[in-house]
Amino acid sequence: MFEILEHPADIGFRAFGGTLPELFANAAKAMLSIACELDDVAPKAEFAISATGADYESLLVNWLSEVLYWFDGMRIALREFQVTHLEPDSIRATASGERRDAEHHRSKLIVKAVTWHQLKIARAESGWMAEVYLDI
Amino acid sequence: MPAGIHIEAIDAFRYRIPRDAGRGMRTDVVVYASEALMAQIRKDLSLEQAMNVATLPGIAGSSLAMPDIHQGYGFPIGGVAAMDAADGVVSPGGVGFDINCGVRLVRTTLSADEVRPKLRELVDQVFRDVPCGAGGAGFIKIGPKELDRVLADGAGWMVKNGYGEERDAGFAEAGGALEGADAGAVSSRAKERGIPQLGTLGSGNHFLEVQYVEEIHDEAAARAFGIVKGQVVVLIHSGSRGLGHQVCTDYVAEMNKVMPKYNITLPDRQLACCPIRAPEGQAYLGAMCAAANFAWANRQAIMHFLRGAFRRIFGESAHLDLIYDVCHNIAKRERYEVGGKKRDLLVHRKGATRAFPAGHREVPADYRHVGQPVFVPGSMGTASWVLVGAEGAMRETFGSVCHGAGRLMSRTAVRKGKDARQETKKLEDAGILVRSETRDGILEELPEAYKNVDEVIEVVHNAGLARKVSRLRPMGVIKG
């Protein structure tokens, strides 16, 4: 579903999806798996998350920035994403997770932000792939 | 590095990439490096990124690269670019996500010999008292109203509210608060991320390091800074946490939206920018100053917790004074001579430190006869340096110098085949105690991930940008 990409100072990932909605869902999971141990997160509640953009690239940056804000600002850890609507300028999804709790959720790296560095969305062998670098 | 980049050696410590109009470059790139460092620099995309910076509208002088330069996103890390204040651009990516990430050096009244027998206790106490903030919130509880005061007053707010001593704020760059901060230009999301994170270290390359003074190279400057051989000092490296990260995220998105309106096209969307004078540019600068002030308040709070930890272990007689606090991710209005003419510029320092020489009015009165202190952290197993700003920086680099050793290896590459427990033991055998909230925190920041800091220092010393004052050796390291 995703793999880690190397960068001299930061970290990136390459996410895959059979469809574009799956790609966006997997990209969100890839990012959060760098920030915390996803297995520690229970899907206790459902949340509606959305973002807008000018094209698929900016939509991906804005979508991931939105998910990061939920994690770091609203302090909600999410583990599963169901993308219910995707156009080049907008995305809507239902995500499941729970309020962050330092006792039960192991933290990994603090993700500062989603960058445009070498951002790529392209056709893959079976579906789509995206490459994203994060500032950590 | 991509093929086809023409690099000329100017002398033993300077290289030039001449302007290539075909790539849209408006000026040259000048790299400060030795031959050995240049060979490492060529391996990643940092030179291409410095060339991309040379395409920005209104760039004055050259696009500059310091010897610790490495690949960033948009701007290289270790880059300096000055933009004409009247017709240049401001780029949030050129400041970076961690606005006013910086270092402060604190001197203690203790010697290494006095600290060593209690080092383990001290490191454990500091680890308890200075949260990294990865999982939970920090110890400072403030609401939105107080946050707005923090954004306006920076380190001064902390001192006024009991998190410091009267003298502290005056020994930070800009007095620990930039004028022109506009809390209203900071989004509610940025504030929401910032409030629970005030007074926390962060992770990644952020750290708090107990060190001792190993060598003195400039007696007069060392005396002015209050440091002597064998003395214990503490280096704190942190920034504006989630608040600054969100400010940058918000304004990179905003700039990407408005660039067509200002007819700006760029080779990399992470460089997104707009005219300094445009309303969006002014809003960003107001928010950036506010985030910078948050960072100074943050480092001030961390120092306050550090003082408490030292008192608990060594008693009331252990006194800690701030030597200085410098930022290395910032854009500042400064005036320099370019091509024989004095110009007002917005100097973007992305992983670069201000280095004003003796006599500059912005250097605290106690240090003005020697120059501004500059701190250059190395890796946790090697050394850090205290430098002092020199005249060459004013002539050549818009009063700027390097900010660290510069990374050499990716996080995954350095971790490969290594065990956190073994590596911690190895460092301990070398006299360095390390505590980290995460296993990855230790492995990813191992000394071999970085260039040799001494080589970086040789370049800036010999190029006349800053002078060596003192070499510091680590004893205890707290990592996020």
Side-chain angles (χ1 to χ4, degrees):
Chain A
M1 254 177 359
F2 57 83
E3 59 200 30
I4 297 300
L5 297 173
E6 300 198 8
H7 179 282
D10 293 294
I11 199 164
F13 61 82
R14 183 182 293 125
F16 300 93
T19 62
L20 275 170
E22 270 175 40
L23 178 73
F24 274 65
N26 287 340
K29 282 185 76 165
M31 179 180 72
L32 289 179
S33 75
I34 288 168
C36 73
E37 212 58 74
L38 277 187
D39 289 345
D40 296 350
V41 180
K44 285 184 184 165
E46 287 204 337
F47 306 91
I49 304 182
S50 61
T52 56
D55 46 41
Y56 278 128
E57 281 79 17
S58 63
L59 186 66
L60 182 59
V61 171
N62 293 349
W63 157 248
L64 293 174
S65 299
E66 183 71 23
V67 172
L68 179 60
Y69 161 70
W70 277 72
F71 184 76
D72 197 46
M74 295 172 71
R75 307 198 70 78
I76 305 282
L78 303 164
R79 65 171 291 169
E80 292 298 338
F81 296 85
Q82 190 72 44
V83 175
T84 53
H85 160 94
L86 184 71
E87 295 286 335
D89 63 348
S90 61
I91 180 169
R92 285 195 296 274
T94 307
S96 59
E98 61 176 327
R99 181 153 288 282
R100 284 179 65 189
D101 169 5
E103 296 273 306
H104 300 102
H105 300 152
R106 279 169 293 171
S107 294
K108 287 159 88 178
L109 291 167
I110 295 179
V111 176
K112 291 178 181 170
V114 183
T115 82
W116 280 93
H117 177 73
Q118 297 186 329
L119 184 86
K120 200 190 276 175
I121 300 177
R123 281 271 180 197
E125 239 169 66
S126 58
W128 293 87
M129 74 97 185
E131 289 177 4
V132 180
Y133 286 87
L134 305 170
D135 188 9
I136 53 172
Chain B
M1 190 191 76
I5 296 182
H6 175 65
I7 305 173
E8 304 167 352
I10 301 172
D11 58 27
F13 303 107
R14 292 171 183 82
Y15 290 81
R16 178 187 294 115
I17 303 173
R19 176 180 170 224
D20 179 347
R23 285 172 174 265
M25 288 169 71
R26 294 165 195 259
T27 186
D28 297 346
V29 171
V30 174
V31 185
Y32 289 81
S34 61
E35 204 180 334
L37 285 171
M38 200 60 190
Q40 292 172 347
I41 292 168
R42 284 170 189 256
K43 286 182 187 159
D44 68 20
L45 291 175
S46 48
L47 294 177
E48 190 173 59
Q49 291 181 331
M51 292 165 78
N52 287 343
V53 170
T55 69
L56 291 174
I59 186 164
S62 302
S63 164
L64 303 174
M66 293 295 144
D68 54 333
I69 189 176
H70 59 268
Q71 179 183 323
Y73 19 84
F75 273 63
I77 297 164
V80 178
M83 306 297 167
D84 189 277
D87 60 16
V89 292
V90 57
S91 170
V95 170
F97 286 103
D98 201 349
I99 295 166
N100 189 4
C101 184
V103 283
R104 69 168 43 195
L105 187 66
V106 181
R107 60 176 181 244
T108 76
T109 47
L110 298 161
S111 69
D113 292 341
E114 289 169 303
V115 168
R116 205 166 287 286
K118 289 185 167 181
L119 184 62
R120 194 173 295 273
E121 270 176 85
L122 175 70
V123 169
D124 287 341
Q125 189 68 47
V126 176
F127 190 57
R128 277 193 293 272
D129 292 354
V130 179
C132 96
F139 301 130
I140 298 177
K141 306 292 176 216
I142 58 165
K145 267 197 187 147
E146 287 114 331
L147 179 68
D148 282 356
R149 295 313 311 164
V150 169
L151 298 182
D153 300 338
W157 187 91
M158 283 292 164
V159 173
K160 218 184 310 169
N161 286 275
Y163 297 95
E165 295 173 6
E166 203 56 54
R167 164 189 186 283
D168 295 344
F171 285 84
E173 184 174 331
L178 283 174
E179 284 177 24
D182 180 2
V186 177
S187 70
S188 53
R189 292 185 156 206
K191 292 175 181 175
E192 208 177 322
R193 280 179 79 174
I195 283 179
Q197 296 179 11
L198 188 57
T200 63
L201 203 53
S203 74
N205 61 356
H206 290 168
F207 63 80
L208 184 155
E209 205 165 277
V210 179
Q211 309 169 327
Y212 70 94
V213 178
E214 182 191 40
E215 299 166 1
I216 299 277
H217 292 257
D218 182 328
E219 285 289 347
R223 202 175 312 120
F225 302 160
I227 44 180
V228 294
K229 204 170 166 180
Q231 181 182 10
V232 167
V233 293
V234 183
L235 192 63
I236 298 166
H237 180 200
S238 187
S240 51
R241 308 288 286 105
L243 184 132
H245 313 158
Q246 188 68 38
V247 166
C248 185
T249 297
D250 293 342
Y251 282 94
V252 168
E254 175 74 8
M255 301 280 167
N256 265 310
K257 258 192 249 169
V258 302
M259 276 201 302
K261 183 168 90 180
Y262 297 111
N263 295 316
I264 300 171
T265 48
L266 296 172
D268 182 341
R269 284 169 91 168
Q270 188 64 44
L271 291 172
C273 60
C274 82
I276 295 167
R277 285 179 157 184
E280 299 87 356
Q282 289 298 305
Y284 168 68
L285 285 171
M288 180 207 73
C289 289
N293 295 350
F294 183 92
W296 272 309
N298 191 41
R299 290 196 289 275
Q300 176 65 38
I302 291 169
M303 176 175 158
H304 173 75
F305 298 139
L306 176 75
R307 278 182 170 136
F310 264 83
R311 272 200 301 271
R312 248 164 247 132
I313 304 301
F314 295 101
E316 290 299 319
S317 62
H319 196 82
L320 275 63
D321 270 329
L322 179 58
I323 296 178
Y324 201 58
D325 177 309
V326 285
C327 50
H328 50 229
N329 281 358
I330 199 81
K332 287 177 95 177
R333 279 290 285 269
E334 290 166 7
R335 206 170 151 78
Y336 293 94
E337 199 173 293
V338 186
K341 250 177 64 184
K342 283 262 184 202
R343 289 169 70 179
D344 284 317
L345 303 169
L346 185 70
V347 181
H348 290 64
R349 295 192 181 97
K350 170 74 180 288
T353 314
R354 198 189 70 178
F356 285 168
H360 198 289
R361 64 186 164 79
E362 284 198 45
V363 178
D366 290 13
Y367 305 153
R368 207 166 291 152
H369 61 294
V370 290
Q372 179 211 305
V374 171
F375 313 124
V376 183
S379 68
M380 64 183 171
T382 57
S384 296
W385 281 87
V386 178
L387 309 179
V388 64
E391 276 299 330
M394 299 308 276
R395 281 195 306 269
E396 297 182 35
T397 57
F398 306 107
S400 313
V401 74
C402 59
H403 86 308
R407 267 192 95 96
L408 200 56
M409 284 167 87
S410 76
R411 291 171 187 278
T412 31
V414 66
R415 221 165 45 189
K416 211 162 272 170
K418 298 232 171 68
D419 174 75
R421 219 176 284 167
Q422 256 176 19
E423 295 301 323
T424 307
K425 171 85 173 50
K426 248 197 249 172
L427 285 164
E428 235 178 280
D429 291 345
I432 304 160
L433 288 182
V434 185
R435 295 284 179 275
S436 174
E437 212 161 285
T438 57
R439 183 181 56 97
D440 294 351
I442 291 179
L443 289 181
E444 295 181 0
E445 296 291 326
L446 284 172
E448 48 267 44
Y450 287 86
K451 292 180 204 171
N452 181 343
V453 69
D454 295 343
E455 272 182 53
V456 169
I457 298 302
E458 282 303 320
V459 172
V460 297
H461 179 86
N462 288 306
L465 305 180
R467 290 193 321 274
K468 296 182 203 172
V469 175
S470 173
R471 192 173 191 264
L472 312 171
R473 290 277 291 167
M475 301 170 77
V477 187
I478 310 294
K479 304 251 2 139

